Amino acid sequence: TKDFIDANLSVRVTLDWYFDAMERGLAELFAEAGEEENLEVCVIGHSIGGWVARAYLGGLGGSSTAVYRLARERITSLVTLGTPHTSPESALVDQTRGLLREIESSPECSSQSLADRGVKVTCVGSSGLSGKIIT
């Protein structure tokens, strides 16, 4: 498509399968936990999974489900492993076709925004998110 060639893919449209999979997994977790009020959830994402999780937590999936609302209350940490958090400006080709750039430019997906909502972000072997080196 033209959006693919121009590296302007939409996060909401392109990553919907990932967002749906996250919601299904979270729905199962919440169903098992029942009414447990002190449930705290840590999301762990490797590579693309790290920035998909950031996009989901930042609301780029466009979800308005009860699962998403509960996830925003219960997810207290995000750990990314080997996740590229910034789109390389000098790359000949944007391999994420604009997806990472959209996530990176969304204020709601920033590490500061997540921290303001009570989500601790830890990056291992990753780059591009600002924050404390040791927490």
Side-chain angles (χ1 to χ4, degrees), residues 21-97:
M22 282 188 72
E23 288 218 343
R24 284 192 306 274
L26 288 166
E28 288 179 26
L29 178 69
F30 297 148
E32 282 183 32
E35 297 295 319
E36 186 178 328
E37 290 184 24
N38 295 325
L39 178 69
E40 292 184 357
V41 177
C42 173
V43 174
I44 301 172
H46 172 256
S47 193
I48 185 178
W51 46 269
V52 167
R54 277 179 56 212
Y56 178 79
L57 294 173
L60 294 185
S63 180
S64 60
T65 66
V67 170
Y68 177 71
R69 290 189 301 274
L70 193 54
R72 286 187 55 109
E73 293 173 14
R74 301 286 173 91
I75 294 174
T76 57
S77 58
L78 168 63
V79 177
T80 66
L81 307 167
T83 298
H85 287 290
T86 57
S87 189
E89 296 299 322
S90 61
L92 183 60
V93 174
D94 176 1
Q95 293 183 343
T96 72
R97 310 314 297 165

Side-chain angles (χ1 to χ4, degrees), residues 11 54-60 68 72 99-117 119 121 129-130:
V11 165
R54 277 179 56 212
Y56 178 79
L57 294 173
L60 294 185
Y68 177 71
R72 286 187 55 109
L99 297 170
L100 184 51
R101 185 177 57 246
E102 182 180 346
I103 295 165
E104 183 182 1
S105 67
S106 172
E108 295 82 17
C109 296
S110 72
S111 57
Q112 184 61 57
S113 176
L114 294 174
D116 290 346
R117 289 198 342 254
V119 178
V121 179
L129 287 180
S130 62

Side-chain angles (χ1 to χ4, degrees), residues 9-19 60-61 99 102:
L9 291 177
S10 162
V11 165
R12 182 176 294 179
V13 173
T14 308
L15 301 180
D16 64 338
W17 181 89
Y18 293 100
F19 298 139
L60 294 185
L99 297 170
E102 182 180 346

